[in-house]
Amino acid sequence: METGRYFVETGFVETPKSKINFRIDGAESSDWIILSNSLGANLNMWNDQIPLLSSKFRVLRYDTRGHGGSSTPIGRYTFDDLCFDVLQLMDHFEIESAVFMGLSMGGMTGLGLGLQLPERFSKIVCADGRADSPEVFRNMWDDRIARVQDGGLQAIVDGTIKSWFTSDWVERNPSRVAEIKEMLLSNDPEGYVSCCYALKELDYLKDLPRLTVPVLYVGGDQDKGASPEVMSNMAGATPNATYVKIRDAAHVANINAPEPFNAAIGNFLNI
């Protein structure tokens, strides 16, 4: 539907490897920004950012393969696979250049895209993401995979909420927590596990010194998966990067603390 200059489009894009669910918000004449979800979420995780972003950009959100309304290709995924899907979306919509913003797995996808094809991305926001998977994380992913294979996504939903949000936010927002649990449980367990394999093999840290695209690293001060120290070090290793720490936020800072998160990305994106 179209109301004035504001345009909304939803649908699917068929790629050679997957079927990707998408939503577009914003004026057709605006520059593009692409949003990529975290493991276990879907494109709705960005709802708190859409009013801000669509005031300047044409916003393309999509569900990562194995998540939300997108298909679940068989096999273990890699970040090359996840980057391939984004480039297929860009080609479908004839997007020559875009800003890219992702959180956790989505942010890592952004790093991969910036390293592969820097000429197609004007800026990258990597939120609550890391660039490597040291042994302790590889072991954690093995455990996560086993738990989901044995008990489905229900087996990890409570632990996910605990890592995504601060305890006081969870206590204050029971209805929102219920919605987020429903979002997590609506995903395909096989797709979730396939993405875990990509995360287990994450290996971009050594390449950050050659990432030329301007990058904003932003994350919660209570994020244990992508700690402030980890993200600050990533910013230090990236030639044209800054790091902003979000107070009173855990791993999914854009939902946990949307106002300071929006302020940080708005400043970076000149909104």
Side-chain angles (χ1 to χ4, degrees):
M1 109 182 142
E2 192 170 3
T3 305
R5 295 181 64 248
Y6 194 93
F7 182 78
V8 176
E9 180 182 354
T10 61
F12 297 90
V13 171
E14 295 274 2
T15 82
K17 299 180 180 180
S18 58
K19 181 179 180 181
I20 303 298
N21 181 49
F22 74 88
R23 177 185 170 104
I24 297 172
D25 294 82
E28 290 186 277
S29 59
S30 297
D31 293 335
W32 289 93
I33 185 170
I34 302 170
L35 308 184
S36 184
N37 58 275
S38 67
L39 178 72
N42 61 34
L43 57 78
N44 291 316
M45 71 170 289
W46 298 109
N47 287 346
D48 289 336
Q49 283 68 56
I50 298 305
L52 171 70
L53 295 175
S54 62
S55 69
K56 178 174 181 176
F57 294 100
R58 193 174 186 192
V59 185
L60 170 59
R61 292 181 273 174
Y62 72 98
D63 292 332
T64 298
R65 58 168 66 192
H67 288 68
S70 294
S71 65
T72 302
I74 297 172
R76 301 179 179 185
Y77 307 156
T78 67
F79 274 101
D80 282 347
D81 293 324
L82 305 188
C83 291
F84 173 85
D85 291 341
V86 176
L87 295 172
Q88 290 290 303
L89 284 172
M90 294 178 72
D91 289 346
H92 175 84
F93 290 109
E94 300 181 344
I95 302 172
E96 294 184 5
S97 178
V99 175
F100 189 92
M101 181 166 71
L103 189 141
S104 193
M105 180 175 67
M108 300 162 192
T109 302
L111 297 179
L113 290 164
L115 289 165
Q116 288 181 25
L117 291 170
E119 68 276 9
R120 298 196 69 174
F121 299 93
S122 58
K123 291 183 176 180
I124 293 170
V125 178
C126 177
D128 296 282
R130 35 185 321 126
D132 65 340
S133 185
E135 184 176 1
V136 63
F137 277 87
R138 293 172 64 86
N139 293 337
M140 180 270 290
W141 289 122
D142 285 336
D143 176 69
R144 184 83 59 88
I145 289 166
R147 292 175 65 191
V148 173
Q149 288 176 333
D150 289 344
L153 292 172
Q154 187 65 52
I156 53 94
V157 66
D158 290 335
T160 298
I161 295 298
K162 186 177 180 180
S163 68
W164 278 10
F165 309 110
T166 55
S167 57
D168 59 333
W169 187 91
V170 172
E171 292 174 4
R172 294 196 312 268
N173 296 276
S175 61
R176 192 76 189 277
V177 170
E179 292 174 0
I180 292 166
K181 285 184 176 181
E182 183 177 353
M183 175 178 66
L184 173 62
L185 293 171
S186 69
N187 292 313
D188 186 337
E190 292 184 9
Y192 184 99
V193 166
S194 293
C195 284
C196 286
Y197 283 109
L199 291 160
K200 183 180 174 183
E201 300 302 323
L202 178 66
D203 188 25
Y204 290 140
L205 185 60
K206 67 184 187 304
D207 300 313
L208 294 183
R210 65 178 180 85
L211 178 56
T212 57
V213 182
V215 179
L216 170 66
Y217 293 103
V218 56
D221 63 348
Q222 298 180 44
D223 189 345
K224 295 179 180 178
S227 70
E229 180 182 7
V230 165
M231 297 207 74
S232 179
N233 289 340
M234 289 164 61
T238 307
N240 192 8
T242 55
Y243 167 62
V244 176
K245 180 168 60 177
I246 305 298
R247 293 184 58 187
D248 302 320
H251 188 55
V252 182
N254 72 308
I255 297 175
N256 202 163
E259 292 184 5
F261 184 91
N262 288 355
I265 64 171
N267 182 61
F268 180 66
L269 300 174
N270 300 314
I271 302 176

